[in-house]
Amino acid sequence: MKTEYFYHDELNDDFASTNGKIGKDTVDGTYPYSHHSVLWKIAVFVIYRLLVTPIVWLYTKLWLGIRVKNRKAIQKLRGGCFLYLNHTQNIADAFIPSIAAFPKRTYVVTGPEAVSIKGIRHLVALLGGVPLPTTFKAAKNFETKLKEAMDEKAAVTIYPEAHIWPYCNFVRRFSEKSFSYPYKTNSPVIAGVVVYRQRRIFKNAHPAVTVWLSDPIYPDQTLKEREARLKLRDETYGFMSRTAKEQESFEYIRYTKVEDNTKP
């Protein structure tokens, strides 16, 4: 029998293995979003490019069996972009974007808990983690960092579903709020969806991963911001949901909705 999770609210339920186990530090105006020193840039090159990227490639290839479809949609972009993906892995969701967007430098917008573990917050930043702000001043610095990433011609990854549902084979509804960033920076969106493939030999093992990418979706600057955000969200969700269904994403874990607080 399949593992089965019961959910009540697809916008807020969280099935991550780390849910509730890591505290959330305040990401305020003192958090160093931007780094301009030569030493930092050297450290990024050595750790991100020379050390971590080959390890990530091996991990995603050997463990996830990753394939990327339509990567040229990102490679042809002369500037930066925002990559939106469904949130269905714990550790791997930190790595999948760098493979999908290669060779672009990749940043991943994370929750504050990603920089709450003592001793690794600088490593998280070196590897491209950009934590969500918790104060107004930090929010301004956060937006400045995203603009710098676009100037850097990088790919900024956002998981609009917000919460991890391991191996979920359908795309959940999500808010339009995170689409303010491509609108404000007038940057293209690449919609991406992780689709699961059942293994041919070890059929009961965890499924393999295929990442499908859309062609660039550009924000409509003739619309007011909220209208443009909604349009971007709808186009992004449409591609993700439609592709997951068309490619028959494999159901490794079953998610069943219940209407009250009692499991059937």
Side-chain angles (χ1 to χ4, degrees), residues 171-190:
V171 179
R172 292 163 273 149
R173 294 180 297 116
F174 47 79
S175 167
E176 86 289 348
K177 292 180 181 178
S178 66
F179 291 88
S180 64
Y181 311 129
Y183 178 82
K184 289 179 179 178
T185 59
N186 195 23
S187 301
V189 164
I190 299 290

Side-chain angles (χ1 to χ4, degrees), residues 230-247:
L230 287 168
K231 184 178 180 183
L232 282 173
R233 189 274 309 274
D234 291 346
E235 291 183 58
T236 299
Y237 176 81
F239 172 85
M240 294 168 70
S241 181
R242 182 174 63 253
T243 303
K245 291 176 182 176
E246 290 175 351
Q247 299 302 321

Side-chain angles (χ1 to χ4, degrees), residues 88-121:
T88 62
Q89 290 283 321
N90 286 295
I91 296 175
D93 273 356
F95 303 147
I96 289 173
S98 63
I99 300 301
F102 187 84
K104 282 186 177 292
R105 166 72 157 133
T106 306
Y107 295 96
V108 179
V109 174
T110 70
E113 62 273 10
V115 294
S116 299
I117 302 175
K118 304 303 180 185
I120 69 165
R121 63 186 297 165

Side-chain angles (χ1 to χ4, degrees), residues 52-167:
V52 174
T53 297
I55 293 171
V56 166
W57 187 88
L58 286 172
Y59 168 79
T60 55
K61 198 70 176 177
L62 298 179
W63 181 250
L64 299 179
I66 195 168
R67 300 173 184 170
V68 181
K69 303 294 186 179
N70 198 35
R71 188 189 275 117
K72 66 176 186 275
I74 292 182
Q75 292 175 336
K76 287 182 177 180
L77 291 174
R78 294 184 177 180
C81 66
F82 287 86
L83 172 62
Y84 288 77
L85 289 166
N86 50 328
H87 213 358
T88 62
Q89 290 283 321
N90 286 295
I91 296 175
D93 273 356
F95 303 147
I96 289 173
S98 63
I99 300 301
F102 187 84
K104 282 186 177 292
R105 166 72 157 133
T106 306
Y107 295 96
V108 179
V109 174
T110 70
E113 62 273 10
V115 294
S116 299
I117 302 175
K118 304 303 180 185
I120 69 165
R121 63 186 297 165
H122 294 302
L123 179 61
V124 169
L126 276 170
L127 297 180
V130 184
L132 287 166
T134 57
T135 68
F136 177 75
K137 186 175 181 180
K140 293 177 65 177
N141 295 338
F142 173 81
E143 290 194 4
T144 297
K145 175 60 181 179
L146 297 189
K147 291 176 182 177
E148 290 174 352
M150 293 301 101
D151 292 339
E152 191 183 342
K153 302 179 181 180
V156 174
T157 303
I158 295 175
Y159 289 98
E161 293 171 325
H163 305 294
I164 298 173
W165 287 24
Y167 295 101

Side-chain angles (χ1 to χ4, degrees), residues 3-20:
T3 300
E4 187 170 13
Y5 290 164
F6 297 92
Y7 71 94
H8 306 276
D9 181 357
E10 63 182 285
L11 291 175
N12 297 299
D13 287 354
D14 192 343
F15 296 102
S17 60
T18 56
N19 184 30

